[in-house]
Amino acid sequence: MTSACTSRVTVALSLTTIARSASPATHAALSASLSLAARGVHTLPKLDYSYDALEPHISRKVMELHHSKHHQAYVNGLNAAEEAYARAAAPKEQIKLQSALKFNGGGHINHSLFWKNLAPQSQGGGELTSGPLKDAIVADFGSVDAFKKKMNTVTAAIQGSGWGWLGYNPETKKLEIVTTPNQDPLLSHVPIIGIDIWEHAFYLQYHNVKADYLTAIWNVINFKEAERRFVEAAKSS
Amino acid sequence: MSFLTTVARSATRAARPATRAVPAASLSLAARGVHTLPKLDYAYDALEPHISRKIMELHHSKHHQAYVNGLNAAEEAYAKTAAPKEQIKLQSALKFNGGGHINHSLFWKNLAPQSQGGGELTSGPLKDAIVADFGSVDAFKKKMNTVTAAIQGSGWGWLGYNPETKKLEIATTPNQDPLLSHVPIIGIDIWEHAFYLQYHNVKADYLTAIWNVVNFKEAERRFLEAAKSA
């Protein structure tokens, strides 16, 4: 393999490794998209629900812009960065491209996880049924309400743009709340639930009152997907 | 003298005499944690259609107010603690809210309605320096917009005066970090709250529009002050 080809494969493999932490149902699609990384052909994943399906908790307009404009821009940016990376002859040129790869690659990873961990109430969104995830949340946070409260407090406290995560720590084997700035992907933990706290995720609907967005979003969190990710993560570690 | 007062003094020194007293006084009261939201020199709708009334109202009365409140709370907590570890824990709250207060205070002053000269860069030392350092006014605006739009996350684009090179340069700061490496001449807020209600994801349109309401008179005052002091 040429060095350009190797570097693209390396980028693809690291993205694929991160994506594998998603549930089996989602990582197949995500991996397929990310395995094409060597050809720079990432694509915007389709949603499993329509833009208005998460109303009134997340508005149709927010969903439409967020998916078709913001996420699409990360996909386009990632493809462009990977094309440039494949052509970069020297480490210095490759290093110059790292921030574009991280920003757009992270944006693509994070939003792909996000759409999957949301669901309309008609598809079970908001409902955490008895099972291993609920047991782990109660064990690690005291109660489901205590978990949601902590997640919201930590996420709201991010100083700038970023993401709040419920993550599975493969070393402690516990669920923990962590944040990532800007579009940095979650690397220290297996992502279980991600919440986008960039202003574009809520501003048209909630303006400056991000606490209201964080309260509302729990009505459309896809706990079934979260449990799939958790069971997969607990099995692997 | 508090750190914030020092930073603020460099920013406010260039302000008009009628307004200079208010920001410096507000920041000198830092020890008592009584920063206040500065009044705007124009109505919320005065920058229409370039920046909407709704954005100005939320941006000033909610977002900037929150930084003022957060700064006061952080300073109160800081004054109550003697231990370095506790002080260090408070640094991020002081930087975020202090920076937010500084940055937005500069921002409101470097905006003006067209009826007050907003958007108009008249012949003079600032225009000369922009042409000298960027080639042309249009080249300067284009570079400022490109650099500001490229910020990966929330932050600010700045035209800054570099006291070492004595040149105007374009710089950025992430989140609410204040500009420390240069004297701020013009700041542009690129946090999504600054434009999203009106421009949605098309931040390039916001960046094109804002030049209609940049207060070049204030920018020139800051530049002259900075060039004198350097």
Side-chain angles (χ1 to χ4, degrees):
Chain A
M1 268 198 282
T2 63
S3 64
C5 184
T6 309
S7 54
R8 293 179 81 182
V9 171
T10 307
V11 171
L13 282 172
S14 36
L15 285 170
T16 308
T17 308
I18 293 166
R20 287 224 173 111
S21 58
S23 77
T26 54
H27 90 64
L30 198 47
S31 295
S33 169
L34 288 155
S35 300
L36 295 170
R39 301 211 300 273
V41 281
H42 299 283
T43 57
L44 182 68
K46 280 184 165 41
L47 302 186
D48 297 327
Y49 40 83
S50 60
Y51 285 139
D52 64 358
L54 307 185
E55 295 260 11
H57 313 293
I58 304 179
S59 73
R60 184 199 61 75
K61 190 70 188 165
V62 168
M63 291 301 294
E64 183 178 359
L65 283 169
H66 203 174
H67 179 254
S68 72
K69 303 291 183 188
H70 290 274
H71 189 173
Q72 182 70 68
Y74 291 121
V75 170
N76 297 345
L78 179 58
N79 286 334
E82 287 185 343
E83 293 265 324
Y85 197 93
R87 286 197 299 275
K92 186 168 155 183
E93 280 20 77
Q94 291 178 331
I95 291 166
K96 280 185 188 178
L97 287 165
Q98 279 185 354
S99 74
L101 285 165
K102 181 161 101 162
F103 184 61
N104 292 292
H108 181 38
I109 290 166
N110 294 341
H111 287 88
S112 298
L113 289 168
F114 187 52
W115 309 132
K116 290 290 183 190
N117 70 225
L118 295 173
Q121 287 174 308
S122 60
Q123 290 175 27
E127 199 187 347
L128 175 55
T129 53
S130 302
L133 177 62
K134 191 170 188 175
D135 292 346
I137 286 175
V138 173
D140 296 334
F141 296 100
S143 69
V144 175
D145 279 351
F147 152 65
K148 289 178 183 177
K149 190 174 173 189
K150 184 171 185 182
M151 181 90 166
N152 286 358
T153 300
V154 170
T155 302
I158 291 171
Q159 295 178 347
S161 303
W163 290 75
W165 300 94
L166 175 65
Y168 176 80
N169 184 329
E171 305 203 7
T172 62
K173 302 204 188 317
K174 285 190 185 310
L175 288 171
E176 293 164 5
I177 288 163
V178 282
T179 63
T180 54
N182 305 320
Q183 290 299 350
D184 291 11
L186 181 61
L187 301 176
S188 57
H189 293 60
V190 177
I192 307 300
I193 295 169
I195 294 182
D196 191 351
I197 199 66
W198 279 65
E199 287 170 331
H200 63 244
F202 62 88
Y203 206 86
L204 286 183
Q205 190 177 358
Y206 293 98
H207 296 167
N208 59 301
V209 194
K210 55 185 174 180
D212 285 358
Y213 159 69
L214 292 171
T215 300
I217 200 171
W218 292 103
N219 290 291
V220 289
I221 291 293
N222 186 348
F223 286 106
K224 289 190 197 136
E225 167 70 6
E227 186 159 73
R228 265 194 300 269
R229 293 173 184 174
F230 171 69
V231 167
E232 177 77 24
K235 209 173 25 163
S236 318
S237 68
Chain B
M1 184 191 307
S2 78
F3 169 71
L4 283 169
T5 307
T6 309
V7 172
R9 286 228 173 114
S10 52
T12 59
R13 211 177 287 137
R16 293 199 315 270
T19 54
R20 187 194 306 139
V22 175
S26 167
L27 287 151
S28 300
L29 294 169
R32 301 213 299 275
V34 281
H35 299 282
T36 56
L37 182 68
K39 280 185 164 40
L40 301 186
D41 296 328
Y42 40 82
Y44 285 140
D45 64 359
L47 307 185
E48 293 262 12
H50 313 293
I51 303 179
S52 73
R53 183 201 62 76
K54 189 68 187 165
I55 285 179
M56 291 302 294
E57 183 178 0
L58 283 170
H59 202 174
H60 180 253
S61 73
K62 304 291 182 189
H63 289 274
H64 188 174
Q65 182 69 69
Y67 291 122
V68 169
N69 298 344
L71 178 58
N72 286 332
E75 285 184 344
E76 293 253 20
Y78 198 93
K80 291 211 256 318
T81 180
K85 185 166 154 185
E86 295 336 292
Q87 290 178 332
I88 291 165
K89 280 185 187 179
L90 286 165
Q91 277 185 359
S92 74
L94 284 165
K95 181 161 100 163
F96 184 61
N97 292 292
H101 181 36
I102 289 165
N103 294 339
H104 287 88
S105 298
L106 289 168
F107 188 52
W108 309 133
K109 290 286 183 196
N110 69 225
L111 294 173
Q114 287 173 308
S115 60
Q116 289 175 26
E120 198 186 348
L121 175 54
T122 53
S123 300
L126 177 62
K127 191 171 189 175
D128 292 345
I130 285 174
V131 173
D133 295 334
F134 295 100
S136 70
V137 176
D138 278 351
F140 152 64
K141 289 178 182 178
K142 189 173 176 191
K143 183 170 185 184
M144 181 91 164
N145 286 358
T146 299
V147 170
T148 301
I151 292 170
Q152 295 179 348
S154 302
W156 290 75
W158 300 95
L159 175 65
Y161 177 80
N162 184 329
E164 304 202 8
T165 63
K166 301 202 188 319
K167 286 191 185 309
L168 289 172
E169 294 165 3
I170 288 163
T172 63
T173 54
N175 305 321
Q176 290 300 349
D177 290 11
L179 181 63
L180 300 177
S181 56
H182 293 63
V183 178
I185 307 301
I186 296 169
I188 295 182
D189 191 352
I190 200 66
W191 279 65
E192 287 170 331
H193 64 243
F195 63 87
Y196 207 86
L197 287 183
Q198 189 176 359
Y199 294 97
H200 296 167
N201 57 301
V202 194
K203 56 185 172 179
D205 285 358
Y206 159 70
L207 292 170
T208 299
I210 199 170
W211 292 105
N212 290 291
V213 290
V214 169
N215 185 350
F216 286 106
K217 286 190 198 138
E218 168 70 6
E220 186 158 73
R221 264 193 301 270
R222 293 173 184 174
F223 171 68
L224 289 172
E225 181 76 29
K228 206 170 30 165
S229 320

